[in-house]
Amino acid sequence: MNEQEHIDKLMLELRRGTITIGVLSQLFSPQYGYSLVTMLDEKGVPVEPGTLYPLLRRLEKQGLLDSSWDTNETRPRKYYVLSEMGKRVYDQLCREWESIVKSMDDLINTRGDENIGDG
Amino acid sequence: MEMVDRYIYAVTQKLPQSQREDIAIELRGLIEDMLEERVGNGEIKQNDVEEVLLELGSPKEMAQKYRGTKKYLIGPELYDTFLIVLKIVLISMGAGLGIVFVIQSIVNPVEILDHFVGFIVALVTSIPQAVGWVTLVFAITEYYGGVKTKDLGLEKTWHPSMLSVVPDPKRRIKRSEPIVAIIFYVIVMVWFAFSSDFLGVYVFDGEFKEVVPFLNEDTFSQYMPFVLLLFAIFIVKECLKLITGKWTMKLMGYTVLINLIGIVVVSYLITGDNFWNPTFMSGLVQAGVVEEGTKGYNTVETIWENSTRIIVILLIVGLIWDSVEGFIRARKK
């Protein structure tokens, strides 16, 4: 494996963890799968449909999302929206995320000092 | 759009029945959305469909993502043991058949080519069988083992106090023990299956003369399935030992059960009238091994006539010992 492949693999793992928060953040109003794909893509968080669709179903199964079929449009679409529990979970996740960002910032920014201290 | 149908079919086919319809509609919607974004209101070409499907990935991967978990016939925990047992069985089967071939060639060197062809045919027919049976046993173990721990929620919250004691060296089962046993069983099994008529007394007079078989060749084919089945369950027993790696009460239970079956089956087999070669003694006389009326003849005859009882007794002692040993070692803390 060369350097780039290592980076790609690590990035994949890193993204995987953030996708769920990203998805939940966009579901305060009902969305169907593909509208979410475009929305997230526009905001710089590209998600493959093949990943997003199963994820939505899983979140629904876990009770974080509610779903309903809309059959009025040209084709039937399944709309997902945050459930009450989903909203609470999302709020908590955001707080956790912010604390992770803060800690990581600390770690990354103090790296140089530590090294000098150790060296 | 036929390709889209095929794709959706391929994905949903790999999913549980209850989710198929829902996911099919959803996937179709997704694909149509993606196509629409690509070509707008223009005409959809085959090429566009292909590109969209390529973007979605192979149906297999797609279905896997929907399922979330991977399914195993033989999971990672059992896989190593499975490979070991499979190797042992295949190697010892090959060895057993090789021995049969060598014996046949010594007994009847003229037909060596036939023996060789027989050897190859036996290999070809028995390898798939061996692989199949070993896989079946492990798949069953996986199925029941897997269901128990995860799906039924019997797995309690783990705590360090739940760690089981490192087994006393006396409780551990050395890997070599079951491996040797499996090799032994497979070789003997192969012998029974492919040349039961060569189990007997080999008569040499300068060079090889003949074999006086122990078994009744005419009726043995009736007994064959029982004998093979018996060996098979003994091999299962050894596999369990190999998997568990230490003596436990459960393993002991299985051992006792299998040994009991062994005793019953063997007793039934060898006390039957037709199991042994009825002309064994006269065969020996004809071959010139012993002369009728001599002391040697009487000794051999006594041994031969009591052999049934002797074997049953030896077997019972052996199997009971095996069970008792398991019991003693399983109780060691």
Side-chain angles (χ1 to χ4, degrees):
Chain A
M1 231 193 263
N2 64 32
E3 201 174 311
Q4 190 55 46
E5 282 171 330
H6 279 300
I7 294 175
D8 288 346
K9 203 171 164 224
L10 289 170
M11 278 313 293
L12 196 76
E13 283 173 26
L14 203 54
R15 279 222 188 84
R16 200 176 288 154
T18 60
I19 289 174
T20 311
I21 302 184
V23 168
L24 293 178
S25 74
Q26 302 303 304
L27 288 176
F28 279 87
S29 60
Q31 300 286 343
Y32 64 93
Y34 200 65
S35 68
L36 253 181
V37 174
T38 6
M39 231 161 120
L40 288 168
D41 200 34
E42 278 164 12
K43 295 187 176 167
V45 187
V47 184
E48 283 174 26
T51 306
L52 184 70
Y53 276 63
L55 175 65
L56 287 171
R57 290 186 77 88
R58 206 150 46 238
L59 292 171
E60 185 198 359
K61 206 172 160 194
Q62 290 165 358
L64 300 183
L65 300 179
D66 290 330
S67 74
S68 54
W69 281 98
D70 181 354
T71 45
N72 296 327
E73 291 178 59
T74 44
R75 59 187 74 106
R77 277 176 174 149
K78 198 175 186 183
Y79 278 80
Y80 293 94
V81 71
L82 281 177
S83 66
E84 281 310 307
M85 180 169 85
K87 284 179 190 161
R88 288 196 302 275
V89 168
Y90 172 71
D91 282 342
Q92 188 59 37
L93 275 180
C94 285
R95 274 198 288 279
E96 300 286 350
W97 172 254
E98 271 153 24
S99 101
I100 288 174
V101 169
K102 207 162 145 271
S103 319
M104 288 308 294
D105 273 349
D106 268 359
L107 285 178
I108 292 170
N109 293 328
T110 55
R111 180 193 57 174
D113 307 342
E114 296 285 324
N115 277 358
I116 292 163
D118 286 341
Chain B
M1 293 302 270
E2 201 216 325
M3 198 177 279
V4 175
D5 292 333
R6 287 192 199 172
Y7 184 83
I8 291 170
Y9 178 78
V11 174
T12 50
Q13 206 50 26
K14 297 181 177 69
L15 294 170
Q17 190 78 45
S18 56
Q19 298 173 20
R20 281 186 194 169
E21 200 187 342
D22 213 41
I23 289 176
I25 302 172
E26 200 178 60
L27 264 183
R28 187 175 299 279
L30 168 66
I31 292 168
E32 284 170 8
D33 280 333
M34 287 171 82
L35 282 171
E36 198 173 280
E37 193 194 62
R38 210 165 266 264
V39 296
N41 286 324
E43 198 192 334
I44 297 166
K45 293 191 212 69
Q46 179 82 1
N47 198 17
D48 300 312
V49 178
E50 280 177 15
E51 275 173 34
V52 164
L53 294 185
L54 275 174
E55 199 180 320
L56 286 177
S58 79
K60 201 173 134 197
E61 286 168 43
M62 189 59 138
Q64 229 162 47
K65 282 185 193 162
Y66 267 113
R67 272 203 309 266
T69 50
K70 290 196 169 116
K71 284 182 178 171
Y72 296 106
L73 181 65
I74 294 165
E77 285 172 23
L78 282 179
Y79 188 68
D80 286 334
T81 323
F82 167 69
L83 275 190
I84 293 173
V85 172
L86 190 63
K87 275 185 211 156
I88 298 169
V89 168
L90 288 181
I91 291 172
S92 37
M93 204 178 68
L97 288 174
I99 295 171
V100 170
F101 168 61
V102 169
I103 294 176
Q104 284 175 331
S105 305
I106 294 172
V107 172
N108 192 350
V110 184
E111 291 172 22
I112 189 163
L113 194 67
D114 288 346
H115 299 321
F116 185 72
V117 171
F119 171 62
I120 299 295
V121 169
L123 269 188
V124 170
T125 51
S126 46
I127 285 175
Q129 286 214 27
V131 174
W133 282 107
V134 173
T135 309
L136 182 70
V137 168
F138 273 86
I140 292 171
T141 314
E142 170 74 33
Y143 183 75
Y144 286 104
V147 169
K148 243 180 263 163
T149 49
K150 287 171 202 144
D151 300 342
L152 298 180
L154 291 178
E155 217 170 27
K156 294 179 204 140
T157 325
W158 185 81
H159 187 270
S161 63
M162 286 160 58
L163 287 169
S164 54
V165 189
V166 177
D168 187 288
K170 284 173 185 151
R171 259 182 84 184
R172 279 186 218 158
I173 299 173
K174 273 193 236 129
R175 285 170 88 85
S176 56
E177 289 173 25
I179 289 179
V180 169
I182 294 174
I183 294 176
F184 173 75
Y185 287 137
V186 173
I187 290 180
V188 178
M189 196 170 166
V190 168
W191 261 47
F192 266 102
F194 290 97
S195 64
S196 51
D197 36 335
F198 291 137
L199 289 173
V201 175
Y202 284 70
V203 184
F204 289 90
D205 183 15
E207 57 179 8
F208 174 79
K209 238 171 106 190
E210 63 177 305
V211 181
V212 182
F214 290 137
L215 305 177
N216 186 340
E217 288 164 61
D218 299 329
T219 54
F220 186 71
S221 56
Q222 301 167 18
Y223 292 107
M224 181 88 91
F226 295 103
V227 173
L228 295 187
L229 203 66
L230 188 67
F231 278 115
I233 62 171
F234 278 138
I235 291 175
V236 168
K237 180 178 85 174
E238 299 304 325
C239 289
L240 288 176
K241 284 186 190 170
L242 198 61
I243 294 170
T244 326
K246 63 172 191 225
W247 279 104
T248 60
M249 280 304 172
K250 209 166 135 196
L251 180 62
M252 205 248 341
Y254 286 128
T255 307
V256 170
L257 181 72
I258 289 175
N259 287 347
L260 273 178
I261 296 175
I263 292 173
V264 171
V265 173
V266 172
S267 309
Y268 167 73
L269 282 183
I270 72 177
T271 51
D273 290 336
N274 299 322
F275 189 73
W276 301 105
N277 180 3
T279 59
F280 178 73
M281 284 315 293
S282 54
L284 279 187
V285 173
Q286 267 169 31
V289 179
V290 287
E291 259 175 69
E292 211 160 343
T294 61
K295 204 178 167 198
Y297 179 90
N298 291 337
T299 315
V300 175
E301 191 175 33
T302 319
I303 295 175
W304 174 248
E305 276 167 3
N306 288 314
S307 60
T308 306
R309 245 176 298 160
I310 296 169
I311 291 178
V312 171
I313 290 168
L314 282 181
L315 183 87
I316 291 178
V317 169
L319 291 181
I320 288 179
W321 175 247
D322 187 45
S323 312
V324 169
E325 191 198 6
F327 182 70
I328 293 172
R329 286 168 69 174
R331 278 182 52 125
K332 288 223 167 85
K333 286 281 155 56

